[in-house]
C-alpha cells in the first residue's frame, strides 16, 4: 500500500516508517520537522499542505501519528492544540475521503482516559482501565483535543464509511517523566511495564497490525500497553500494597531490583488492560515486565529505550 505517515520525524515515526517499508509499503512521511523518513515538511493544520500531500502521491492509507503532545502544553496555547490535533485530523480525514483512501489509523493516547480525580489518586483502589471505561473526562487540553479527534474518526466511519482504527498507546517515550522525580528513568520505566508502558517497537508493530485489520473492523478503539500481570481482583491490594502483589507474582523481583539499587512501587493507582488489542486486533507484545526481570537476571541490556536525566546519574 501507499501509506501517508504523519509524525514521521517523531519517536514513533522513526520506528514505524522503516517497519512499513520492510513490509513492502510505499511510505510518504509528513512532519513539521525534517527527518530521515520525512518527504513532506509542513503542518497538518494547513489544509493546502495536506491537499498537496495527497495530490503528490496516490495514497491508499493514512497513519496519523503526528500531533502536539502532553509536554507541548508548556510551549503552546490551547488554540495550537485545537489547530493541530483537531483541525489537522479533520483535514486529513476529509482529504482521505475525497481521494478514496481505504483506511485511516489514528494514534491517540491513554492520557485522555485520566480524569483529574485519577491524577490526584482520589480513589481507594487502583482504577482498571479498558476500552469500556466511561465517562471520559480528560484533564488537560491535550486529552480534550485527542478525544475530539477520535470522535471525528468515528463520524467519518459512520457517515462516509472510512475504515478508522483508533489506537491509544500508553507510555513509550524515552524521556524522563516531567511529573515524577522520586525514581530515575530505568527504574521508573521498568515499574511502568507492570501497568502503563510498552516499547516503541511494540507500538509500531501494533500500528501495522491495525493497518492490516482496518477493513475487517470498520471502526474500533484499542488500548496499547504491555500485558499486565495483574487481575481486576488485585485492584484493592495494588493501591494498598503493590509490592506484596508483585512479590507474589514474581518472587525474585525484589532481589533483582535491589541488585540494581531499584525500588518496586509501593502503590499503583491505575492499570491499563490491553487484552482486547491482543484478542481482537491480534497485537503481539514482545516486551513485558517478565522480559525486564529476565534481562536483570541474566545481566543483559534492558529491552527498552530511556533518556537519562543528569539528575539520575
Amino acid at each position: 500500500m501507499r501509506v501517508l505517515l504523519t509524525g514521521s520525524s517523531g519517536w514513533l515515526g522513526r520506528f514505524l516508517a522503516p517497519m512499513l517499508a520492510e513490509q513492502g509499503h510505499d511510505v510518504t512521511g509528513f512532519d513539521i520537522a525534517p527527518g530521515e523518513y520525512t518527504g513532506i515538511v509542513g503542518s497538518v493544520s494547513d489544509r493546502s499542505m495536506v491537499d498537496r500531500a495527497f495530490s503528490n502521491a496516490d495514497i491508499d492509507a493514512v497513519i496519523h501519528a503526528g500531533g502536539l503532545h502532553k509536554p507541548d502544553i508548556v510551549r503552546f496555547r490551547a488554540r495550537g492544540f485545537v489547530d493541530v490535533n483537531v483541525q489537522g485530523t479533520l483535514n486529513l480525514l476529509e482529504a482521505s475521503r475525497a481521494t478514496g483512501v481505504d483506511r485511516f489509523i489514528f494514534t491517540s493516547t491513554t492520557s485522555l482516559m485520566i480524569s483529574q480525580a485519577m491524577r490526584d489518586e482520589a480513589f481507594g483502589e487502583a482504577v482498571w482501565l479498558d476500552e469500556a471505561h466511561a465517562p471520559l473526562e480528560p484533564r488537560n487540553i491535550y486529552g480534550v483535543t485527542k478525544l475530539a479527534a477520535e470522535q471525528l474518526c468515528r463520524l467519518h466511519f459512520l457517515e462516509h464509511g472510512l475504515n478508522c482504527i483508533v489506537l491509544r498507546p500508553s507510555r513509550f517515550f524515552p524521556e524522563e517523566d516531567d511529573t515524577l522525580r522520586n525514581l530515575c528513568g530505568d527504574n521508573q520505566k521498568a515499574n511502568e511495564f507492570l501497568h502503563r508502558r510498552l516499547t516503541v517497537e511494540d507500538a509500531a508493530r501494533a500500528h501495522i497490525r491495525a493497518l492490516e485489520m482496518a477493513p475487517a473492523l470498520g471502526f474500533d478503539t484499542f488500548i496499547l500497553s504491555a500485558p499486565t500481570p495483574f487481575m481486576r481482583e488485585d485492584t484493592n491490594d495494588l493501591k494498598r500494597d503493590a509490592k506484596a502483589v508483585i512479590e507474589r507474582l514474581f518472587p525474585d523481583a525484589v532481589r533483582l531490583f535491589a541488585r540494581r539499587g531499584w525500588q518496586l512501587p509501593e502503590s499503583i493507582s491505575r492499570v491499563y488492560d490491553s487484552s482486547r488489542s491482543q484478542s481482537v486486533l491480534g497485537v503481539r507484545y514482545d516486551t513485558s515486565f517478565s522480559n525486564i526481570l529476565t534481562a536483570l537476571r541474566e545481566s543483559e541490556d534492558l529491552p527498552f529505550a530511556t533518556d537519562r536525566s543528569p539528575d539520575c546519574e
Side-chain angles (χ1 to χ4, degrees), residues 61-288:
V62 173
I63 299 180
H64 181 26
L68 293 183
H69 303 284
K70 192 262 181 184
D72 294 316
I73 290 175
V74 298
R75 300 188 293 117
F76 291 89
R77 295 184 177 183
R79 182 69 198 184
F81 278 84
V82 173
D83 289 344
V84 174
N85 291 353
V86 182
Q87 186 61 55
T89 302
L90 181 60
N91 289 342
L92 289 162
L93 286 164
E94 290 182 341
S96 295
R97 178 166 58 90
T99 57
V101 163
D102 178 58
R103 60 201 79 184
F104 191 101
I105 312 304
F106 176 59
T107 310
S108 188
T109 174
T110 52
S111 180
L112 64 80
M113 304 176 73
I114 307 305
S115 66
Q116 190 59 48
M118 283 187 224
R119 183 72 178 82
D120 294 339
E121 299 192 17
F123 304 101
E125 62 182 13
V127 180
W128 193 270
L129 293 163
D130 60 17
E131 292 84 355
H133 176 78
L136 296 177
E137 299 174 327
R139 70 188 188 278
N140 54 37
I141 190 63
Y142 170 52
V144 166
T145 54
K146 281 292 193 177
L147 181 56
E150 286 190 4
Q151 293 302 306
L152 289 173
C153 292
R154 183 182 64 86
L155 281 177
H156 273 71
F157 168 71
L158 292 175
E159 296 180 354
H160 308 292
L162 177 59
N163 299 311
C164 291
I165 302 297
V166 172
L167 301 177
R168 294 178 182 167
S170 62
R171 298 176 172 199
F172 60 83
F173 53 81
E175 297 88 2
E176 295 285 350
D177 190 312
D178 61 356
T179 65
L180 297 173
R181 294 289 182 268
N182 58 324
L183 292 178
C184 290
D186 288 350
N187 188 175
Q188 181 64 41
K189 290 178 176 61
N191 288 350
E192 289 174 347
F193 273 91
L194 287 161
H195 64 116
R196 62 171 181 177
R197 178 169 286 274
L198 75 165
T199 65
V200 66
E201 294 89 349
D202 280 343
R205 282 187 286 268
H207 280 71
I208 294 174
R209 183 61 181 164
L211 192 70
E212 297 165 349
M213 292 293 291
L217 295 174
F219 176 83
D220 214 330
T221 301
F222 297 96
I223 290 172
L224 305 180
S225 198
T228 181
F230 306 132
M231 305 291 288
R232 285 181 184 267
E233 300 78 45
D234 295 323
T235 52
N236 276 316
D237 291 337
L238 286 172
K239 187 65 182 291
R240 180 176 51 82
D241 189 356
K243 186 175 177 182
V245 180
I246 298 165
E247 285 186 87
R248 171 169 55 81
L249 296 170
F250 305 100
D252 63 346
V254 172
R255 176 180 60 82
L256 293 171
F257 268 47
R259 201 162 69 185
R260 282 252 181 161
W262 288 2
Q263 304 170 41
L264 288 169
E266 299 291 340
S267 176
I268 289 175
S269 62
R270 60 184 182 265
V271 178
Y272 293 121
D273 179 0
S274 65
S275 58
R276 193 166 177 275
S277 72
Q278 299 169 71
S279 62
V280 177
L281 193 57
V283 174
R284 184 193 78 245
Y285 296 95
D286 285 351
T287 303
S288 67

